[in-house]
Amino acid sequence: MYHVLVVEDELLIRDAVVEMVNQLDGFKVTGEAGSCEEGWRQLRELWPTVLITDIQLPDSDGLELIQRIRNDKLPVVAIIISGHDSFPYAQNAIRLHVSEYLLKPISEGELHEALARSVSRLEAIADSNRLLREIQSFIDDLQDNASIALFEQADRLLSRIYHLRGLEPGVKASYYRIFLSKLVEVVKVIHPDLPQADVPEDGSEHQVKQVFRDVLHEWIRRYPHFANNQMRLVIKRACDYIEAHLQDELGLKQMSDYCNLSPSYFGVLFKQYTGKSFVNYVNQIRMDKAMELLRDSDMKIYEVAEEVGFASLPYFNRVFKTVTTLTPNEYRRGLGV
C-alpha cells in the first residue's frame, strides 16, 4: 500500500483529490494539509511515498515543498496539480524531478493514470521509505521501551542505514541527520542544555552508533524524573482548551503559542504525554463528541460536522471513518437512530 499526502488549500479540490486517490487500489491518503509548512510537518511525521501538491499555497508554493524533499534526499514521488499552464513552473518541476504535472480541473482517470505511471519509481524507493517510517516509530515509542531495548533498536536501525546500497551520494548522511535531529529534538524537551550532537563525516559504523548512544543515555537518565514534573499540567491545560474549543481552528502553532512553547517542543511534549500526535488527538476528541451528538441528538450530519469544527462535510466523513471504521450514517444506523 502506497501512502499519499495531499497538500491543497482549497477544501473542495482537496476533498475531490483525496476521494480519487482512495478509489485506486494500492493507494491510500494518510495525510492532508492546506499549506506548505503544515505539509512539510506532516511529511516528516507520516513519511508518505507520494506527495500530491498544488503549486499555489497560502504561505509558499508546492515547488518549495518539493525543493525541501530534494534537499533532504527523501524517498517521495511528487505530483503537482496546478491551475496555471505556466512554462517556468513546468521547467522548475522538471528540474525537481516531479513525476507528473497535472492541470486543474483534473479527472479521476488522469490522476489514476499518473499514479499508475509512478509505480516503478515507488517500488524503487519502498525500502528507504519503510526505514524512515521505522525511525519515526522508534522516536514515537521512546517512553515505552526499556533502556537495553532502546540501544538495541537504535543500533539495528543505524546498521540498516550504514549498509544501504545503490543510493545516490549523501542519502545515508541525510538519513543519519533526520534520525539524529528527531532524537535530539525529543531529548532536548527534557534536557534543554544537551550538548551539540553531530554524526562524524565519513565516520565508522561504531563512531556513528556512539553518537546516538550518548544522546540516548541522556534520555534514559533524565526521563523518569521529567515524567513526573509540572509539564504534565501544561499538557493537561492544552487538552482542556481543546475540549472547550472544538468549533475553533485548532492548529499546532496556535496551541503552542497558548502554552508559551515552540511548536516543535509542544508537539514532542504533547505526543509524549497523550500517546498521540496533536492532529490525531484533536481528531479523536472531535470524533468522540461527534459520536455523542449522533447518539443523543437529532442533528443532521452536516450540523454535527460544523459543531465539532469541520468546514467540509467530506473531510469530516473521512476522519470519522478513519477513527471509527464507520461512516457517520453507518454509525447512526447501527444505533437504530
Side-chain angles (χ1 to χ4, degrees):
M1 180 68 70
Y2 297 116
H3 293 180
V4 181
L5 171 65
V6 178
V7 182
E8 166 63 68
D9 62 312
E10 295 184 58
L11 274 174
L12 290 177
I13 296 176
R14 191 166 85 212
D15 288 338
V17 171
V18 170
E19 185 63 25
M20 291 176 194
V21 173
N22 286 337
Q23 291 296 319
L24 184 61
D25 289 343
F27 292 85
K28 178 183 178 182
V29 175
T30 55
E32 303 176 36
S35 68
C36 178
E37 287 305 320
E38 176 62 15
W40 180 242
R41 188 190 65 76
Q42 286 202 36
L43 192 144
R44 287 174 55 89
E45 181 178 312
L46 301 174
W47 301 109
T49 40
V50 181
L51 167 70
I52 300 176
T53 181
D54 191 2
I55 279 192
Q56 293 190 317
L57 296 169
D59 54 345
S60 186
D61 63 42
L63 293 176
E64 164 66 20
L65 186 54
I66 296 167
Q67 182 66 64
R68 295 187 193 182
I69 290 171
R70 298 299 172 243
N71 289 345
D72 280 5
K73 304 182 184 301
L74 302 182
V76 178
V77 168
I79 294 175
I80 283 177
I81 52 176
S82 173
H84 301 278
D85 188 5
S86 165
F87 183 65
Y89 278 149
Q91 278 186 311
N92 284 330
I94 292 170
R95 179 178 60 82
L96 293 170
H97 306 293
V98 169
S99 180
E100 301 280 340
Y101 190 104
L102 305 178
L103 292 176
K104 298 178 183 178
I106 62 172
S107 69
E108 182 174 292
E110 285 178 308
L111 184 57
H112 286 188
E113 288 171 8
L115 289 168
R117 286 192 295 268
S118 301
V119 166
S120 61
R121 293 181 65 183
L122 291 169
E123 290 173 345
I125 64 174
D127 288 343
S128 296
N129 180 269
R130 190 177 303 112
L131 175 57
L132 289 173
R133 282 191 276 122
E134 289 179 22
I135 288 171
Q136 186 67 51
S137 294
F138 174 84
I139 297 296
D140 292 343
D141 296 338
L142 270 178
Q143 74 277 14
D144 297 328
N145 290 300
S147 57
I148 295 176
L150 286 177
F151 287 123
E152 291 175 347
Q153 289 172 27
D155 280 355
R156 280 198 297 271
L157 289 169
L158 293 167
S159 290
R160 285 176 59 190
I161 297 173
Y162 191 83
H163 294 286
L164 282 173
R165 297 183 182 278
L167 298 177
E168 63 177 287
V171 172
K172 291 182 185 180
S174 179
Y175 289 9
Y176 284 139
R177 286 196 301 271
I178 290 167
F179 192 178
L180 186 60
S181 67
K182 282 181 170 289
L183 181 60
V184 166
E185 183 178 49
V186 173
V187 177
K188 279 198 169 185
V189 170
I190 63 175
H191 182 22
D193 298 324
L194 180 73
Q196 178 69 28
D198 293 300
V199 175
E201 190 172 347
D202 298 323
S204 68
E205 185 175 1
H206 173 76
Q207 288 173 318
V208 170
K209 288 180 177 179
Q210 190 59 51
V211 172
F212 282 79
R213 287 169 184 161
D214 290 344
V215 177
L216 279 171
H217 177 75
E218 293 299 328
W219 168 264
I220 291 163
R221 187 163 71 91
R222 295 169 184 271
Y223 181 72
H225 172 71
F226 176 81
N228 295 315
N229 74 8
Q230 63 182 0
M231 296 311 291
R232 285 186 179 275
L233 299 178
V234 174
I235 301 304
K236 173 67 165 59
R237 180 168 167 255
C239 292
D240 289 344
Y241 182 93
I242 290 167
E243 292 194 30
H245 295 82
L246 288 182
Q247 286 185 306
D248 299 343
E249 183 177 344
L250 295 169
L252 183 67
K253 178 67 166 61
Q254 175 197 353
M255 289 305 304
S256 61
D257 288 346
Y258 176 73
C259 295
N260 296 314
L261 300 171
S262 72
S264 60
Y265 188 169
F266 174 79
V268 169
L269 199 61
F270 193 90
K271 195 161 192 174
Q272 290 295 325
Y273 281 108
T274 65
K276 296 179 182 290
S277 70
F278 176 76
V279 171
N280 287 344
Y281 181 88
V282 172
N283 283 340
Q284 181 67 63
I285 296 298
R286 282 177 161 155
M287 294 307 104
D288 289 345
K289 181 63 176 178
M291 286 188 282
E292 177 188 323
L293 294 172
L294 290 169
R295 287 194 309 267
D296 302 336
S297 78
D298 57 0
M299 294 172 67
K300 292 180 169 56
I301 290 175
Y302 78 85
E303 293 174 327
V304 172
E306 292 173 356
E307 184 69 20
V308 297
F310 284 82
S312 162
L313 181 58
Y315 186 33
F316 169 73
N317 288 336
R318 287 199 300 277
V319 174
F320 192 95
K321 187 166 186 178
T322 297
V323 173
T324 69
T325 72
L326 300 171
T327 66
N329 273 322
E330 289 169 343
Y331 179 79
R332 187 167 253 177
R333 284 200 301 270
L335 296 171
V337 178

